[in-house]
Amino acid sequence: MFESYQIHSRDQYEKDYKNSLEDPEKFWGNIAEHFVWQKKWDQVLDWEFKTPSVKWFDGGLLNVSENCIDRFVKIDPSRIALIWEANDPSELPREISYLELQNEVCKYANMLQSRGVKKSNRVIIYMGMVPELVFAVLACARLGAIHSVIFAGFSAISIKDRIVDCEATHIITCDGTFRGAKCIDLKSIIDEAIFDLSFIKNVFVLQRTRQEVKMVEGRDVWIHELIDQQSDWFEPVAMSSEDPLFILYTSGSTGKPKGVVHSTAGYMIWANYTFINVFQYKTGQIHFCTADIGWITGHSYIIYGPLSAGAATLMFEGIPTWPNEERLWQIIDKHQVNILYTAPTAIRSLMVYGEDPPSHYSLESLKVLGTVGEPINEEAWHWYDQNIGKSRIPIVDTWWQTETGGIMISNLAGITESKPTYATLPLPGVSAVLKDQEGKNVMEAHQQSALFINKPWPGIIRTTYQDHARCKLNYFSQIENMYCTGDGAFVDEENNFRIIGRIDDVLNVSGHRLGTAELENAINEHPSVIESAVVGYPHDLKGQGIYAFIICQDTTTDHDLMTEEIRELVQAIIGPIAKPDKIQMVTGLPKTRSGKIMRRILRKIAEGEKSNFGDLTSLIDANVIDQILANAK
Ligand code: WT7
């Protein structure tokens, strides 16, 4: 099915890379032939980055759920699609075949439709990591509703912002979710988020934890009371190639998260192409991505990439350190996992326990290891290689972003060389360039600069929901006709890319993206805060930690209490992942004459630098630096 466009050698990689950029229409047109279309496209690619406007396979009609399910049911209905490992290791895992997946997805689609969900409506999904989350996502795709999954760690206020932004009419949630030793209320958080939103028609509630929840009459419905009466067939709705498949909110350099919109055909093909090539997936293998479906990694590499390739995708409800730090290794042996895709922050958190825990497991089923989310440090790379891969299998370091839909720069497992800490080579279709501030190409090896992409690939962001101007401003305005990644990078002598990390006001905390402006807005909600500035600093486990410098009112004397209040406030407004690691009360911030905070200086202080702050001539008052330094954390 995908074998004909899977890259089998280094030579082929080079040929495909060249062809994909020289004649993208021919290259992607050939690949698109391998999917199920209800109507073939008129034109493979039509684009310009000025507006921006990118159309792939325009004029085509297809349904993503049909491509992810039905075509494999036809080959073998009993083939396993989804393997689910519960939070509690003593709870039985579930194995769901492609036929069962089809039945469940159809029932969910019928249930949604019976309550008024129609094509192009927005449906919020706020659930734990249970198979029903996958059913809900694919049911939306089947009936043409646009799903927006919200990570189950986000607070009521964050959820409300997103629901209002996308004007969702329906919500699918659970009573609660298990995460390690904790049981998190989801339904009550939803209740808080939507209590004054009259446009919400229904909240569908899955029973998972069986905790007590409040059901609002006429609005809230139990899924178990509706689902059995639904037919297990739902005709896949014909969607246009460029119809939005989903919205996923992510942080940027402004205060408000933006709704990244992905398309139907282009996104699906990109998720599929990158999945089969980067991981060198072979039919019959079991793929385990440890991400949460609330993030893009879960969308593309738990759901859409693997299922569109007919793979068995393993979904884990819990966390790697519970009930103990052997959990991932135990899951790998138990389910004979072939591909493990995880994040550097997870590797570092397991490294702390040493070499002993993984040594109790064979891990022989593994063929490929992957990492994503942040630059992987050398030590973590080697630990992963030696202790999990037993130095016998490739590691793919995959660089990409919510906005790119799928992997952009990565070695291909066993096909192109890996190089520790380097994402290495761009995938076919990805024209990656390094640019200096004037927009000039920076070609010399080891010269760090900004990473741009100058041609469209099928999975590129189409817009930010209901705010196309923002999409243009955020991604297409820095240099004309270029997609701006916001990341810094350099290449080595062989043109392998090494990604350094964000060069905009975005932090990467444990692989999660947080805008400094978003954090500052939350902190500034505290009545005693006058002004705040947030920067990132190197953190052993999280990659980056959050350091907040805060000016508070003179009348505030109990700084410890205020620090605690601010941490709680940020948790309430954004979620636990956003809690600052360090909070320092200051009397002033380093500002330029035009009133801009010089974050560069604060970043250096947060990194532990005591001097060498560079050019300070534009500062109004250089004395604030000494004052901040005197109490630096
Ligand atoms: C940012 C995107 C893409 C899925 C998870 C995060 C950083 C991601 C790598 C990598 C170095 C990486 C970048 C990027 N990043 N993967 N392999 N090496 N940095 O998605 O929340 O959209 O964040 O994560 O800084 O811009 P995201």
Side-chain angles (χ1 to χ4, degrees):
M1 195 151 275
F2 53 76
E3 288 75 11
S4 69
Y5 54 92
Q6 195 167 42
I7 299 168
H8 295 294
S9 65
R10 166 88 206 199
D11 273 1
Q12 193 194 341
Y13 160 74
E14 267 155 32
K15 253 187 242 140
D16 286 1
Y17 186 76
K18 195 162 157 275
N19 292 338
S20 71
L21 296 181
E22 280 176 7
D23 193 349
E25 300 223 16
K26 187 169 165 210
F27 186 82
W28 294 107
N30 281 338
I31 289 171
E33 298 278 358
H34 296 272
F35 292 80
V36 179
W37 294 85
Q38 298 181 13
K39 175 183 171 283
K40 209 180 150 173
W41 58 91
D42 302 321
Q43 192 180 1
V44 174
L45 174 62
D46 180 24
W47 71 286
E48 44 89 4
F49 274 174
K50 252 190 194 79
T51 332
S53 160
V54 179
K55 289 186 189 136
W56 282 96
F57 312 106
D58 206 26
L61 294 174
L62 76 164
N63 186 285
V64 171
S65 90
E66 185 174 21
N67 278 283
C68 287
I69 305 171
D70 303 34
R71 57 184 183 141
F72 304 106
V73 174
K74 287 195 185 119
I75 299 170
D76 175 8
S78 65
R79 187 194 285 191
I80 298 301
L82 195 61
I83 301 169
W84 177 73
E85 172 74 16
N87 179 61
D88 185 335
S90 66
E91 185 175 342
L92 278 184
R94 287 167 69 181
E95 288 199 349
I96 294 155
S97 70
Y98 273 88
L99 177 62
E100 286 162 333
L101 182 63
Q102 185 179 56
N103 292 339
E104 294 298 333
V105 168
C106 287
K107 284 192 207 170
Y108 268 72
N110 280 311
M111 176 184 76
L112 295 174
Q113 195 182 47
S114 75
R115 294 284 162 154
V117 179
K118 293 189 190 66
K119 180 172 169 177
S120 82
N121 288 169
R122 275 79 57 211
V123 175
I124 293 288
I125 303 179
Y126 184 70
M127 300 172 87
M129 286 284 284
V130 287
E132 289 79 3
L133 163 54
V134 177
F135 307 159
V137 162
L138 292 170
C140 288
R142 199 163 185 94
L143 69 73
I146 302 170
H147 60 75
S148 186
V149 183
I150 301 179
F151 172 58
F154 276 118
S155 69
I157 298 170
S158 297
I159 298 167
K160 182 176 179 179
D161 284 349
R162 289 158 168 79
I163 295 175
V164 170
D165 187 79
C166 72
E167 297 171 307
T169 49
H170 292 78
I171 297 173
I172 310 174
T173 190
C174 301
D175 46 1
T177 179
F178 298 120
R179 257 181 89 78
K182 285 192 220 142
C183 175
I184 302 159
D185 303 344
L186 296 180
K187 176 61 169 60
S188 68
I189 296 174
I190 286 289
D191 289 341
E192 196 186 329
I194 65 168
F195 80 96
D196 60 347
L197 301 182
S198 53
F199 55 83
I200 300 293
K201 297 202 180 99
N202 288 119
V203 178
F204 300 92
V205 188
L206 178 84
Q207 204 167 48
R208 168 63 186 135
T209 55
R210 296 181 181 263
Q211 67 198 99
E212 218 176 292
V213 299
K214 222 175 62 222
M215 298 292 275
V216 175
E217 234 195 275
R219 186 194 73 183
D220 301 351
V221 287
W222 283 110
I223 292 177
H224 64 262
E225 288 177 2
L226 294 176
I227 205 73
D228 290 342
Q229 69 221 36
Q230 305 301 328
S231 152
D232 59 12
W233 178 252
F234 187 101
E235 194 65 30
V237 172
M239 303 298 290
S240 296
S241 294
E242 280 298 324
D243 277 338
L245 178 63
F246 64 85
I247 303 170
L248 187 58
Y249 284 87
T250 188
S251 301
S253 34
T254 57
K256 209 176 103 196
K258 47 191 177 235
V260 172
V261 176
H262 279 293
S263 68
T264 293
Y267 169 81
M268 174 191 74
I269 289 172
W270 190 241
N272 174 276
Y273 181 80
T274 54
F275 172 73
I276 61 128
N277 279 305
V278 171
F279 302 106
Q280 286 292 304
Y281 176 76
K282 304 282 180 293
T283 297
Q285 289 185 336
I286 295 170
H287 174 77
F288 177 19
C289 167
T290 67
D292 192 284
I293 293 174
W295 310 110
I296 190 71
T297 311
H299 282 61
S300 301
Y301 300 109
I302 295 179
I303 303 181
Y304 291 113
L307 294 178
S308 67
T313 182
L314 193 153
M315 170 179 192
F316 173 39
E317 185 183 34
I319 53 173
T321 47
W322 193 84
N324 60 50
E325 62 284 353
E326 298 189 357
R327 190 68 194 277
L328 290 187
W329 324 134
Q330 183 204 12
I331 293 174
I332 289 165
D333 275 7
K334 175 171 166 187
H335 295 286
Q336 292 293 293
V337 168
N338 304 112
I339 305 167
L340 174 67
Y341 191 29
T342 192
T345 187
I347 298 167
R348 289 193 300 267
S349 74
L350 295 169
M351 253 169 83
V352 173
Y353 302 96
E355 300 183 350
D356 190 50
S359 75
H360 302 153
Y361 297 86
S362 125
L363 307 179
E364 258 166 27
S365 57
L366 287 172
K367 298 264 185 286
V368 175
L369 298 176
T371 108
V372 61
E374 57 182 304
I376 183 164
N377 49 309
E378 192 112 27
E379 200 191 349
W381 196 99
H382 288 295
W383 189 87
Y384 197 32
D385 179 43
Q386 285 156 19
N387 296 284
I388 312 308
K390 319 273 183 195
S391 306
R392 61 175 182 89
I393 54 175
I395 297 181
V396 289
D397 179 353
T398 67
W399 173 83
W400 57 297
Q401 309 177 300
T402 304
E403 295 84 349
T404 70
I407 298 166
M408 299 287 280
I409 302 181
S410 173
N411 50 315
L412 309 179
I415 303 289
T416 61
E417 285 286 291
S418 64
K419 178 168 176 176
T421 75
Y422 281 73
T424 74
L425 301 171
L427 263 66
V430 178
S431 180
V433 285
L434 295 172
K435 296 269 175 187
D436 68 10
Q437 278 177 343
E438 279 77 53
K440 281 213 285 292
N441 280 8
V442 181
M443 304 304 287
E444 308 92 87
H446 302 287
Q447 188 74 32
Q448 192 181 319
S449 46
L451 177 62
F452 286 83
I453 317 286
N454 66 15
K455 285 197 173 62
W457 62 98
I460 189 173
I461 177 176
R462 297 307 198 269
T463 189
T464 46
Y465 194 70
Q466 275 183 340
D467 196 350
H468 197 60
R470 193 168 173 206
C471 174
K472 175 181 168 155
L473 183 72
N474 261 294
Y475 307 107
F476 298 91
S477 310
Q478 291 73 5
I479 299 180
E480 211 174 302
N481 291 322
M482 301 259 168
Y483 167 82
C484 173
T485 69
D487 275 319
F490 63 80
V491 287
D492 69 3
E493 290 74 9
E494 271 85 51
N495 278 320
N496 287 304
F497 282 84
R498 177 169 175 162
I499 312 295
I500 308 300
R502 306 292 307 196
I503 46 177
D504 52 9
D505 290 328
V506 172
L507 306 185
N508 189 331
V509 180
S510 300
H512 301 318
R513 205 157 128 179
L514 293 164
T516 53
E518 199 182 344
L519 289 159
E520 287 159 11
N521 287 351
I523 292 170
N524 296 349
E525 289 284 310
H526 191 286
S528 306
V529 170
I530 295 174
E531 196 177 4
S532 63
V534 170
V535 296
Y537 70 96
H539 187 288
D540 283 350
L541 287 181
K542 300 181 178 184
Q544 261 188 321
I546 302 170
Y547 196 135
F549 297 89
I550 297 174
I551 306 178
C552 61
Q553 273 156 359
D554 302 344
T555 47
T556 318
T557 45
D558 192 344
H559 286 179
D560 288 345
L561 177 67
M562 185 159 162
T563 299
E564 215 20 68
E565 283 172 4
I566 286 171
R567 285 170 57 82
E568 276 165 26
L569 182 68
V570 175
Q571 165 155 355
I573 295 178
I574 307 176
I577 48 171
K579 272 206 244 178
D581 299 279
K582 293 182 181 179
I583 292 178
Q584 182 182 352
M585 300 298 169
V586 296
T587 49
L589 291 165
K591 286 194 178 173
T592 63
R593 273 167 236 287
S594 59
K596 250 184 90 176
I597 297 170
M598 288 180 81
R599 286 164 193 286
R600 165 176 71 79
I601 295 173
L602 294 177
R603 248 177 257 134
K604 286 211 159 158
I605 294 174
E607 281 163 15
E609 184 81 49
K610 301 268 186 291
S611 52
N612 298 325
F613 294 108
D615 180 12
L616 299 178
T617 47
S618 60
L619 266 191
I620 309 178
D621 176 11
N623 289 327
V624 293
I625 299 182
D626 295 328
Q627 286 165 16
I628 298 174
L629 274 176
N631 298 307
K633 305 248 163 183

